[in-house]
Amino acid sequence: DSGVTQTPKHLITATGQRVTLRCSPRSGDLSVYWYQQSLDQGLQFLIHYYNGEERAKGNILERFSAQQFPDLHSELNLSSLELGDSALYFCASSLGTLNGELFFGEGSRLTVL
Amino acid sequence: EDKVVQSPLSLVVHEGDTVTLNCSYEVTNFRSLLWYKQEKKAPTFLFMLTSSGIEKKSGRLSSILDKKELFSILNITATQTGDSAVYLCAVGGNTGKLIFGQGTTLQVKP
């Protein structure tokens, strides 16, 4: 158990809908990273938050947004969902921003029908 | 643009073999390179290599970092079926991004 909690574990929804994925980092970790893992691809970096502030953005679609709250949990919002958004979404946390060890949650599997 | 390329993409060996996995990278202001193992679900951490730690070893696994040539290798000796997994390499600079390669799928046959 990495100490990173993601909910929900599984989610099935329809095209055009909006979903929110939630992540609670390990106790004491200030950084939260979000990654998307599709069937044929590796881990695609989406976004990194540190202590409530956006630190870096990857190839995150405009339909996607994220935030980190004062209690350090983070949410990833996916809207106007398309079939291609079906993937495993991972959250990972680390203590700081200096690219130290990331601890991954078990992921949220999103299926868009 | 930051880039991490792993090779080979897949590998099949027999128990007892030694394997070498490769990771080459281009990243702005390199800070660290990390290796992860992914089985069914979440990646689990193996090693981190930085400017101050360019060689790491843990049991049958070892890794080196060549900062001049911008690559790293992960060696696994005396492979076991439990080593079957996807091995991921990730590289971070000072931009706050940690970019992963596409992974190497290792299958160890009995």
Side-chain angles (χ1 to χ4, degrees):
Chain A
D1 182 4
S2 68
V4 178
T5 304
Q6 288 188 248
T7 57
K9 286 185 171 37
H10 300 276
L11 191 54
I12 300 174
T13 189
T15 55
Q17 296 298 304
R18 173 190 168 94
V19 298
T20 296
L21 309 180
R22 183 188 167 100
C23 170
S24 294
R26 285 190 329 153
S27 176
D29 282 356
L30 299 177
S31 269
V32 169
Y33 296 74
W34 285 98
Y35 288 89
Q36 179 193 57
Q37 188 172 44
S38 304
L39 206 56
D40 297 328
Q41 295 186 12
L43 288 161
Q44 301 295 313
F45 171 72
L46 295 178
I47 200 161
H48 168 203
Y49 277 87
Y50 174 76
N51 203 21
E53 301 286 331
E54 182 185 301
R55 181 79 169 83
K57 235 177 191 178
N59 295 325
I60 187 168
L61 298 171
E62 284 191 16
R63 300 184 285 109
F64 295 2
S65 64
Q67 59 185 127
Q68 186 180 28
F69 294 86
D71 67 353
L72 301 176
H73 91 272
S74 178
E75 293 181 357
L76 179 67
N77 299 297
L78 315 174
S79 62
S80 302
L81 286 168
E82 302 175 359
L83 296 178
D85 297 328
S86 295
L88 191 53
Y89 290 85
F90 283 109
C91 165
S93 74
S94 68
L95 180 61
T97 64
L98 298 179
N99 302 149
E101 179 183 350
L102 260 60
F103 296 87
F104 280 82
E106 293 296 310
S108 293
R109 182 166 295 284
L110 172 66
T111 302
V112 183
L113 300 176
Chain B
E1 186 179 326
D2 297 345
K3 190 165 65 172
V4 179
V5 177
Q6 293 185 242
S7 64
L9 291 181
S10 65
L11 194 53
V12 180
V13 300
H14 287 92
E15 273 192 317
D17 288 349
T18 293
V19 298
T20 298
L21 310 182
N22 303 293
C23 175
S24 64
Y25 64 89
E26 296 173 25
V27 68
T28 305
N29 295 320
F30 172 87
R31 292 197 75 96
S32 60
L33 184 145
L34 296 88
W35 284 97
Y36 281 82
K37 178 182 181 181
Q38 186 176 24
E39 297 175 86
K40 294 294 183 187
K41 288 193 175 179
T44 54
F45 174 78
L46 295 175
F47 296 116
M48 183 170 78
L49 302 118
T50 65
S51 301
S52 58
I54 60 172
E55 185 170 354
K56 293 284 176 75
K57 185 173 169 63
S58 175
R60 296 178 295 104
L61 276 67
S62 63
S63 181
I64 62 170
L65 171 67
D66 187 325
K67 279 194 67 185
K68 183 180 175 187
E69 300 298 330
L70 307 183
F71 78 88
S72 174
I73 62 171
L74 176 67
N75 277 320
I76 309 175
T77 59
T79 51
Q80 303 170 357
T81 55
D83 295 327
S84 295
V86 177
Y87 289 84
L88 298 164
C89 170
V91 177
N94 66 353
T95 62
K97 298 181 184 180
L98 192 65
I99 305 299
F100 281 80
Q102 67 273 56
T104 293
T105 300
L106 174 65
Q107 183 184 358
V108 182
K109 292 187 171 182

